[in-house]
Amino acid sequence: MAIKAPNNGWWRGGVIYQIYPRSYQDTNADGIGDLPGITQRLDHIAALGADGIWLSPFFKSPMKDFGYDVSDYRDVDPMFGTLNDFKTLVARAHSLGLRVMIDQVLSHTADQHPWFVESRSSRTNPKADWYVWADAKDDGNPPNNWLSIFGGSAWQWDTGRLQYYMHNFLTSQPDLNFHNPEVQQAVLDDVRFWLELGVDGYRLDTANFYCHDRQLRSNPGRGQPDGEDPAVNATNPYGWQRHLYDKSQPENLVFLQRLRALLDEYPNTAMVGEIGDDDGLARMAEYTGLGPDNQPMLHMAYCFDLLGTKKDATFLHALFSRFLSVVGDGWPCWALSNHDCARLATRWGGTDPDGRLLRLAAAMQMTLRGTPCIYQGDELGLPEADVAFEDLQDPYGITMWPSFKGRDGCRTPMPWSQAEPHAGFGPAKPWLPVSPAHVPLAVDLQQAAPDSLLAFYTQLLHWRRDQHALLHGDMTLQTSHPQVLAYERSHTIGGHTQRLACVFNFSAQPATWPMPTGWVQASAHNLGLASATVQDQHLVLQPWGGWVASL
Ligand code: BGC
C-alpha cells in the first residue's frame, strides 16, 4: 500500500542548480556532455552549497529540440549514457547531500514516440485520440488560430489521417491529449518509474500546457505584441495573442492534483512547474495553491519575471509588490537565467558586465521569499556566448535569426579549466563552441581566486543556509525608491525572531537609504557586496552596492 507522507519541505529552503546535460561535461569524447560527466562534477555543485540539482532532459529523443522531444520516457538516450549511469549519478548526488530533480516533458512527445507513431497510423487505432487531432475547416485551413511558440500555426497537416495535429513547439513535438484518461494514466505510470528509481522530484516542462480548450476556440488578438522584451515578443506572433484557450485550462489543475497525489506517495519529493502565461504571478499563486478538489498541486512554480531585461529598482519593487499581494501561501522558484534565455551577465549587465551588479543580483535572488534556481555558469558570471550562424543548433534561433538568435548562446559548454582543450569540457570538438570569453572565467581560475564571483556565490550560499529568516521567513517590502530595492525577511523559531534587512542599490550611482539605528551587518565583509556605510541613520550605498543587516 502506498505511504502517504507529508513533504518535509527541503525544497522551500533549498537552492536548486540547473544542469543542461549536453553542455556540462563530456567524458566519452563525442563532443556532448553526458551523465558520467555530471556525476564527476557533482563535487563542484556540492562545494558551491546548492541543495539539489535539476537535470534538463536526458531521455531517449530524436533531439530536434535537444531532448525536450522525448521518444521514450523510461530510458536514457545513449548519447548521455545508460540507466545505470543515471543510478550512479543519483547515488553520488545523495551521498553529497544533493537532491535530484529531473525534467518531465509531459505535454508533448517526439513524433517518433511509439504513441504518436500509432496515433497517426489511422483514425481508428487504440491511440487515435491520444494526441490533439482536428479536421480542417471547410476551406482547408486549420481549425483555429492557435500559434506555435517556435513560429507559425500550432497545427500541422498529416497526410495519412487527413487531419491536423496540434503542436505548441516544433511540428515534431505533437501535443498529447490530456482530456483522454488513458493518456493521463500512461503519463503517470512513466512518472512513477523515476520515483521508484529514487529521484527527489521533477521540473515539469510547460506544466500549464497539458490541456487545451475542448471546443478549440480561437484566441483573441492583442493588437500588438505582449511584454517588454522586443527581441522575443515583437518578432514572434505568439506574443500577439491572449492565450485563453490553447493552455491554462481548468482541467489542467485536475491533472496536477493527480500528479501531486502520486508524488505524495514518495516522501520528501517535490515538483516545480514551468508556468508560462500572460499573468505568470497570478498563475503561480493558482498552481501552487489548492486545486478544484481542494487538493494540493505544485510545490513550486517557476517564475519568469526576472528573466527579462529590466532590473531597475522601480520595476523590481512593482514586481515584488504584486508578488506579495497575489501569492498567498504559494511558493515561487526564482531564476535569473536558464537554458531558454540570454545569460544574466549580458541581459542585465550589457557588453561589459559589472561584477558588482552580478553580486547584487545573486544576493537578491538568495534573499527573496522562494526557492532560488541557479543556471550552470551563472556562478561564474558567464556572458551570453556569441554563436555564429553556421554554428547554430537551436531550430528556434535558426527560424528567427537574426532578430532573435535563439538559445544557443546560453547553452555553450561549461568552462572547467583554462588550460585544457575546450576549457576542460572534453577532448573532442563540442556540439557548440566554447566561447573564448568564457575561458578566463573557467572554474579552476575562479577557485584559485578568493575574490572571484564563484567564491562570492559559495560564501553566499553557505551563509544563507544558517539564516532561517531567508529559508522560511515572511517578506515585507519597504517603500519604493528610484534606485534602491529594500525588503525585510523575518521568521520566529522557538521564541527567537530573526530579522534581516536587505537593501540593494540597483543603479550605477551612489544612493542613500534611511536606516534606523540598531541594525548591524549580517555577515563579515558584507557578503562581498560593493560597500555600504552607515552615516547619521542613513545607509550610503556604492553603485550596485548592497547591505544585508540584522537587528
Ligand atoms: C523548455 C524549452 C523547450 C520547450 C518545449 C520549454 O519551456 O524549457 O527548452 O523548447 O519547453 O518543450
Side-chain angles (χ1 to χ4, degrees), residues 129-142:
D129 184 45
W130 277 41
Y131 290 80
V132 184
W133 291 98
D135 292 329
K137 291 209 285 206
D138 59 10
D139 61 0
N141 267 306

Side-chain angles (χ1 to χ4, degrees), residues 58-250:
F58 51 82
F59 315 101
K60 267 204 178 132
S61 162
M63 299 289 163
K64 298 274 173 45
D65 191 21
F66 299 105
Y68 283 94
D69 47 334
V70 179
S71 55
D72 183 348
Y73 284 115
R74 298 193 190 198
D75 208 354
V76 173
D77 195 278
M79 81 168 47
F80 294 124
T82 62
L83 263 182
N84 272 338
D85 291 332
F86 180 71
K87 291 177 191 165
T88 306
L89 187 159
V90 173
R92 176 70 186 144
H94 287 169
S95 74
L96 289 168
L98 293 169
R99 312 276 176 156
V100 179
M101 304 179 91
I102 63 171
D103 220 316
Q104 294 285 274
V105 190
L106 308 178
S107 179
H108 46 267
T109 67
D111 57 359
Q112 293 177 27
H113 194 294
W115 296 345
F116 188 67
V117 172
E118 186 175 347
S119 186
R120 82 185 319 178
S121 67
S122 72
R123 293 190 188 199
T124 51
N125 69 76
K127 296 200 171 44
D129 184 45
W130 277 41
Y131 290 80
V132 184
W133 291 98
D135 292 329
K137 291 209 285 206
D138 59 10
D139 61 0
N141 267 306
N144 62 29
N145 71 355
W146 295 351
L147 293 172
S148 154
I149 293 180
F150 290 164
S153 170
W155 296 98
Q156 176 69 15
W157 182 248
D158 184 80
T159 52
R161 275 182 61 145
L162 301 179
Q163 279 183 311
Y164 284 101
Y165 67 84
M166 184 197 170
H167 59 94
N168 286 299
F169 297 92
L170 297 173
T171 54
S172 56
Q173 292 168 297
D175 201 55
L176 278 166
N177 177 18
F178 274 76
H179 293 300
N180 182 330
E182 289 177 10
V183 169
Q184 291 200 12
Q185 195 52 55
V187 161
L188 291 171
D189 291 346
D190 283 343
V191 169
R192 186 188 289 279
F193 174 81
W194 296 98
L195 290 166
E196 289 291 325
L197 283 187
V199 301
D200 302 288
Y202 297 115
R203 178 264 188 183
L204 299 175
D205 191 65
T206 57
N208 56 325
F209 283 62
Y210 298 145
C211 296
H212 61 285
D213 174 43
R214 288 176 193 267
Q215 298 173 53
L216 301 184
R217 280 171 284 189
S218 279
N219 286 324
R222 287 179 182 279
Q224 58 177 27
D226 172 35
E228 85 212 14
D229 192 343
V232 174
N233 294 298
T235 54
N236 190 343
Y238 189 85
W240 290 62
Q241 291 189 352
R242 294 181 60 222
H243 293 275
L244 297 189
Y245 298 117
D246 49 351
K247 58 186 179 185
S248 302
Q249 300 304 293

Side-chain angles (χ1 to χ4, degrees), residues 222-277:
R222 287 179 182 279
Q224 58 177 27
D226 172 35
E228 85 212 14
D229 192 343
V232 174
N233 294 298
T235 54
N236 190 343
Y238 189 85
W240 290 62
Q241 291 189 352
R242 294 181 60 222
H243 293 275
L244 297 189
Y245 298 117
D246 49 351
K247 58 186 179 185
S248 302
Q249 300 304 293
E251 297 92 333
N252 209 92
L253 304 176
V254 179
F255 174 70
L256 284 175
Q257 290 180 153
R258 292 191 69 190
L259 190 52
R260 172 61 177 264
L262 170 60
L263 255 80
D264 283 348
E265 292 178 27
Y266 295 82
N268 307 328
T269 55
M271 47 186 183
V272 51
E274 183 195 33
I275 311 292
D277 207 347

